[in-house]
Amino acid sequence: IATKFGHSALDKNNSSHWAADEVRTQLEESLKSLRTDYIDLYQFHSGPDSVFDNDELWTMLDKQVQAGKIRNLGISIGSNDNLHQTAAASKINAKAIQVVYNRLDTTPENRVFPSCIEQDLGVLARVPLASGYLSGKYKPGAVFAANDVRSNHDKELTASRLRRVEEISRTEVPANVNMAEWALAWCLKHPAVTCVIPGCKSPEQVETNARAASLDLVADNHPQSVS
């Protein structure tokens, strides 16, 4: 069971709540909502460095770990090049980093992943299908519906992404391999990555996601594998 703190789903103004007492209240609300006595991974939700560097917050959370309400702390970094928060993980007893990582955005490989490996942190790769661009469903020239968040993306950037995806499909994805499965496996092959966080809308998509780990792209001796 994993969840995040810092942004309250109950706040219609989408305000941030980072004070230690506010986060403690969020934790209790999450435990109640999830109907559990503990959370396996409780993650700092993409906050700025100014609120991250709050010793009172992490002291409070450490007490919750000692009390058994939290099994592990994590950091979901907002910028996928945020080395400040990543490098401080061990200091605050965080055990995992969540970061945007996919075939179209490999930025974490430069600084974040080396720091994660050095500290022996787990890595959760979010947006592994690049907001669906790597699902294999869309060709250059595709137009997204008005109620699709991708319709708000920069048009030139969208066109560039679709051309890049077509090139990747042609030159990197093996024949007879589902592109979405390949894109997830591509993330998993990096030695720093522990797991991916893909979306799913049907049982079939869950099965497709799960098959990614069995592709040859993911080495059997991956350092994050569990026997």
Side-chain angles (χ1 to χ4, degrees), residues 4 18 43-47 74-79 85 96-100 126:
K4 301 179 182 181
W18 298 107
Q43 302 161 98
F44 178 87
H45 190 178
S46 305
I75 308 166
S76 180
I77 57 178
S79 162
Q85 295 181 17
I97 298 294
Q98 185 180 138
V99 60
V100 172
R126 70 176 183 271

Side-chain angles (χ1 to χ4, degrees), residues 60-82:
M60 181 278 295
L61 288 169
D62 183 62
K63 290 180 179 178
Q64 304 310 306
V65 172
Q66 295 178 38
K69 293 184 178 182
I70 300 171
R71 294 286 178 88
N72 298 282
L73 294 170
I75 308 166
S76 180
I77 57 178
S79 162
N80 52 358
D81 191 41
N82 190 321

